[in-house]
């Protein structure tokens, strides 16, 4: 049978084949899969030569695998990375972690003495197979994932597979792929939700909201994909598409003689902190010839507070060009009114959860009334989000807020539906 020239371990394809056979033929036996790595291995080759690097790999293979009676099969897929199938019998999860931790610590100390100029870390991801019909490839993937979860954490030498973290990681990959595919299919859409006068019901503006559709045309909840795009850093790409399409829609509405009102765009923290945002917006304005008064830029309260120095300059420059700046989700963070008073913004959008909680009790109503009056007195326009009932509309209007947004008037809707209902002049 083919063997690795250096360690005499199986090549990966044979390891996978033989391990699957073992699992299939021994359904009642308990096994675990490990993924083991040696950090900074390359520096042995660089500082001490290839012969010393080979020696270290051979010693790892002997200690952890060839010379380990509990190891059934092992492979070296890459230079200093190993996979193994071990029989664990009645050993508990905690006991197995302790066994591997001790082995890793012993070997780390051993080679650290031999190569004192390099800091080493032997670390292992452990996956205990619960169902032997699962398949070795899946088990190896999970062991590798367990190892990746604590890579760089030098205080940990063995980490156990976490199913919740794995599901979260898989979900991130799935939704990232959904966005990339939607972009290629031109299935990233702009939905619009109207803003209305609480007293008259008059349409006074709208918020542009990004949506993506899967390959079957189903809209994926923004609460599901937005956090993923933010975590992966590609929310800026999403923002760019929504901005471009919104500017194009406004241009079309103007050309068709529509009832065009200001539209607000959500700008993510990542987008706001990237150089070139102002130039990007000005380029879109020039391309579509849109008056600045028709564009409002929304930045969350948290983003404003956490990055106030940088955002302050950018927001002031955008206002100098005639754009309106909105502070979104006010009340969801922990900013003080004194800090809010210094922000270069025009409109405060009250967070729907904050406003609803305040409206539920007398003290909350007094608090909300005071906040609205203070903000209005220092020159802010106020919009209350998330209004869904007649009672909420009436109460918020009595407290001095006449501009509202929420399901009471309309849900977010596709561009064509919004245009027909609110933009096209009857």
């Amino acid at each position: 049978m083919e063997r690795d020239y250096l360690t005499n371990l199986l090549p990966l394809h044979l390891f996978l084949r033989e391990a699957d056979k073992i699992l299939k033929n021994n359904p009642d036996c308990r096994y675990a899969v490990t993924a083991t790595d040696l950090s900074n291995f390359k520096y042995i080759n660089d500082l001490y030569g290839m012969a010393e690097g080979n020696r270290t790999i051979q010693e790892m293979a002997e200690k952890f695998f060839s010379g380990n009676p509990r190891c059934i099969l092992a492979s070296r897929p890459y230079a200093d990375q190993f996979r193994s199938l071990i029989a664990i019998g009645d050993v508990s999860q905690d006991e197995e972690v302790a066994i591997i931790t001790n082995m890793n610590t012993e070997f780390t100390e051993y080679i650290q003495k031999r190569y004192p100029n390099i800091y080493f870390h032997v670390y292992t991801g452990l996956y205990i197979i619960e169902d032997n019909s699962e398949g070795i490839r899946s088990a190896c993937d999970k062991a590798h994932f367990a190892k990746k979860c604590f890579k760089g954490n030098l205080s940990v030498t063995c980490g156990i597979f976490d199913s919740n973290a794995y599901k979260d990681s898989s979900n991130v990959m799935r939704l990232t792929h959904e966005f990339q595919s939607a972009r290629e299919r031109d299935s990233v859409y702009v939905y619009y939700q109207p803003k209305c006068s609480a007293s008259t019901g008059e349409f006074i503006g709208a918020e542009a909201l990004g949506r993506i559709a899967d390959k079957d045309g189903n809209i994926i909840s923004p609460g599901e994909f937005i956090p993923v795009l933010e975590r992966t850093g590609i929310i800026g790409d999403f923002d760019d598409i929504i901005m471009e399409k919104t500017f194009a829609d406004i241009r079309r509405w103007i050309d068709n003689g529509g009832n065009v009102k200001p539209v607000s765009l959500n700008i993510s923290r990542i987008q706001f902190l990237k150089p070139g945002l102002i130039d990007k917006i000005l380029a879109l304005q020039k391309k579509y010839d849109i008056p600045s008064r028709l564009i409002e830029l929304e930045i969350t309260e948290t983003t404003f507070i956490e990055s106030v120095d940088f955002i302050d300059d950018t927001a002031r420059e955008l206002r100098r060009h005639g754009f309106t700046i909105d502070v979104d989700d006010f009340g969801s963070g922990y900013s003080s009114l004194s800090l809010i008073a210094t922000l270069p913004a025009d409109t405060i959008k009250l967070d729907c959860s904050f406003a609803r909680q305040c409206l539920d009790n007398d003290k909350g109503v007094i608090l909300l009334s005071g906040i609205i009056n203070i903000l209005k007195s220092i020159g802010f326009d106020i919009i209350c989000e998330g209004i869904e009932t007649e009672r909420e509309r009436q109460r918020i209007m009595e407290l001095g807020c006449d501009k509202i947004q929420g399901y009471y008037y309309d849900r977010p809707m596709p561009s064509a539906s919004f245009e027909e209902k609110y933009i096209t002049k009857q």
Side-chain angles (χ1 to χ4, degrees):
M1 188 176 291
E2 183 184 352
R3 297 280 177 173
D4 175 38
Y5 78 97
L6 192 60
T7 63
N8 203 38
L9 301 178
L10 293 176
L12 184 60
H13 69 283
L14 291 182
F15 168 79
L16 296 173
R17 187 188 73 184
E18 296 302 313
D20 266 333
K21 288 181 182 178
I22 292 171
L23 294 174
K24 182 179 180 180
N25 294 332
N26 299 276
D28 298 325
C29 295
R30 292 182 72 232
Y31 297 99
V33 173
T34 68
T36 300
D37 199 347
L38 172 63
S39 65
N40 295 329
F41 166 73
K42 69 181 292 292
Y43 295 112
I44 299 178
N45 290 332
D46 293 346
L47 298 178
Y48 296 94
M50 292 289 292
E52 287 299 304
N54 289 344
R55 176 187 174 192
T56 300
I57 292 299
Q58 290 169 336
E59 290 175 336
M60 280 191 73
E62 173 63 25
K63 178 174 180 63
F64 292 101
F65 312 113
S66 304
N68 181 359
R70 301 170 65 245
C71 179
I72 308 300
L73 291 172
S75 176
R76 182 174 71 106
Y78 313 105
D80 60 336
Q81 298 188 28
F82 299 86
R83 303 289 183 270
S84 76
L85 177 69
I86 56 178
I88 60 174
D90 296 328
V91 174
S92 70
Q93 175 179 292
D94 289 344
E95 290 171 335
E96 189 61 45
V97 170
I99 291 170
I100 294 173
T101 296
N102 288 336
M103 292 179 68
N104 288 356
T105 301
E106 288 175 4
F107 191 78
T108 298
E109 292 174 350
Y110 166 69
I111 59 170
Q112 193 70 65
K113 292 178 181 177
R114 194 163 74 203
Y115 309 115
N117 295 327
I118 306 172
Y119 190 87
F120 295 103
H121 181 220
V122 179
Y123 58 108
T124 299
L126 173 67
Y127 174 64
I128 295 177
I129 300 174
E130 297 179 357
D131 181 353
N132 289 2
S133 66
E134 176 180 358
I136 192 63
R137 284 188 179 274
S138 172
C140 283
D141 287 345
K142 291 174 180 177
H144 179 64
F145 176 80
K147 178 170 68 75
K148 285 201 310 179
C149 283
F150 69 93
K151 182 177 182 179
N153 184 348
L154 301 181
S155 65
V156 180
T157 59
C158 181
I160 193 73
F161 172 76
D162 184 332
S163 60
N164 290 328
Y166 187 72
K167 289 176 182 177
D168 181 60
S169 177
S170 299
N171 190 52
V172 168
M173 292 179 63
R174 177 182 67 83
L175 289 170
T176 301
H177 175 71
E178 287 283 8
F179 168 63
Q180 302 291 8
S181 298
R183 178 165 60 176
E184 293 171 3
R185 295 191 307 267
D186 194 24
S187 296
V188 179
Y189 303 115
V190 183
Y191 276 43
Y192 294 94
Q193 185 175 33
K195 302 172 187 176
C196 298
S197 166
S199 56
T200 67
E202 178 189 1
F203 165 57
I204 59 174
E207 179 178 359
L209 300 160
R211 298 288 187 267
I212 62 175
D214 63 20
K215 59 183 176 62
D216 297 320
N218 301 311
I219 297 297
I220 301 172
S221 168
E224 188 178 3
F225 75 82
I226 292 292
V228 169
L229 297 188
E230 289 176 338
R231 283 171 57 185
T232 55
I234 58 177
I235 188 69
D237 297 338
F238 178 72
D239 286 347
D240 288 344
I241 296 172
I242 300 305
M243 281 197 292
E244 178 91 30
K245 291 194 171 189
T246 300
F247 273 82
D249 282 346
I250 295 173
R251 180 68 263 162
R252 186 180 66 256
W253 299 341
I254 293 173
D255 290 343
N256 292 339
N259 179 31
V260 185
K261 302 294 184 181
V263 177
S264 58
L265 283 157
N266 291 283
I267 307 296
S268 66
R269 179 178 184 275
I270 290 176
Q271 182 80 302
F272 219 96
L273 295 178
K274 284 169 57 178
L277 174 64
I278 296 173
D279 290 340
K280 184 181 297 182
I281 293 173
L282 292 177
L284 286 172
Q285 181 188 29
K286 181 178 180 180
K287 177 180 178 179
Y288 292 100
D289 191 21
I290 306 297
S292 300
R293 62 178 175 79
L294 293 180
I295 300 294
E296 300 178 356
L297 303 168
E298 292 192 12
I299 307 137
T300 65
E301 174 194 17
T302 302
T303 297
F304 246 127
I305 302 309
E306 290 179 351
S307 310
V308 63
D309 292 336
F310 185 87
I311 287 181
D312 188 272
D313 292 339
T314 305
R316 290 184 190 281
E317 182 64 21
L318 287 167
R319 293 179 79 203
R320 278 195 289 270
H321 286 284
F323 300 104
T324 297
I325 303 295
D326 299 348
V327 178
D328 195 16
D329 295 338
F330 178 84
S332 62
Y334 302 94
S335 60
S336 66
L337 288 175
S338 61
L339 181 57
I340 288 293
T342 67
L343 294 179
D346 305 280
T347 301
I348 301 293
K349 297 187 73 175
L350 299 177
D351 177 68
C352 58
S353 298
F354 169 70
R356 192 168 291 120
Q357 287 175 356
C358 288
L359 292 174
D360 279 344
N361 61 85
D362 293 339
K363 289 184 179 180
V365 169
I366 295 171
L367 173 63
L368 186 58
S369 175
I371 289 174
I372 290 173
N373 288 330
I374 290 172
L375 292 174
K376 290 177 69 174
S377 69
I378 57 178
F380 286 115
D381 219 0
I382 311 295
I383 295 178
C384 191
E385 296 183 285
I387 300 301
E388 298 182 358
T389 68
E390 170 60 24
R391 176 181 176 275
E392 290 174 346
R393 181 197 71 83
Q394 187 66 36
R395 292 299 297 276
I396 203 71
M397 186 173 64
E398 291 171 354
L399 296 180
C401 180
D402 187 57
K403 297 180 179 180
I404 64 175
Q405 178 182 342
Y407 289 179
Y408 177 81
Y409 284 108
D410 243 328
R411 294 173 178 268
M413 64 189 76
S415 176
S417 301
F418 178 80
E419 182 175 354
E420 180 180 359
K421 186 171 184 178
Y422 290 98
I423 303 299
T424 303
K425 291 185 176 179
Q426 303 299 321

